[in-house]
Amino acid sequence: MVLDDALANGWMLGARDYSLDSVQSRRNRVVVAFSWADKEGRRYGLAQVLRFRHGKIIDMQDFAHPNSAVTSMRFCTAFG
């Protein structure tokens, strides 16, 4: 629902060319990275780390840089 709202707002502000760039998982965490372009064609990216328990999302963190999200996922699954 949060992602749907963000995409809808971005579309209203002129964002186009949405792309699901990658999905990576490790144990009970998944990183979803996506990007979009503004009216001038500049690309922007965002990533979310989702934590699951019994098939349901129990935690979600947003990251401005997909590499930071992957690092967080690896750290949390190794030490958390």
Side-chain angles (χ1 to χ4, degrees):
M1 197 65 161
V2 173
L3 180 56
D4 285 339
D5 291 343
L7 294 176
N9 289 336
W11 186 262
M12 289 174 47
L13 295 172
R16 301 291 185 267
D17 190 28
Y18 288 97
S19 174
L20 177 61
D21 298 326
S22 68
V23 177
Q24 299 180 44
S25 66
R26 194 170 192 175
R27 290 182 29 196
N28 66 337
R29 287 178 169 78
V30 175
V31 173
V32 180
F34 53 95
S35 62
W36 64 93
D38 65 11
K39 291 179 182 179
E40 287 77 36
R42 290 183 299 253
R43 302 248 4 127
Y44 298 92
L46 183 70
Q48 294 180 321
V49 176
L50 308 172
R51 188 165 53 117
F52 289 86
R53 182 178 295 144
H54 305 297
K56 296 184 182 199
I57 297 171
I58 61 168
D59 187 38
M60 178 176 68
Q61 293 178 303
D62 294 329
F63 290 83
H65 303 285
N67 289 341
S68 298
V70 171
T71 300
S72 173
M73 174 189 65
R74 289 179 179 160
F75 180 81
C76 290
T77 56
F79 300 107

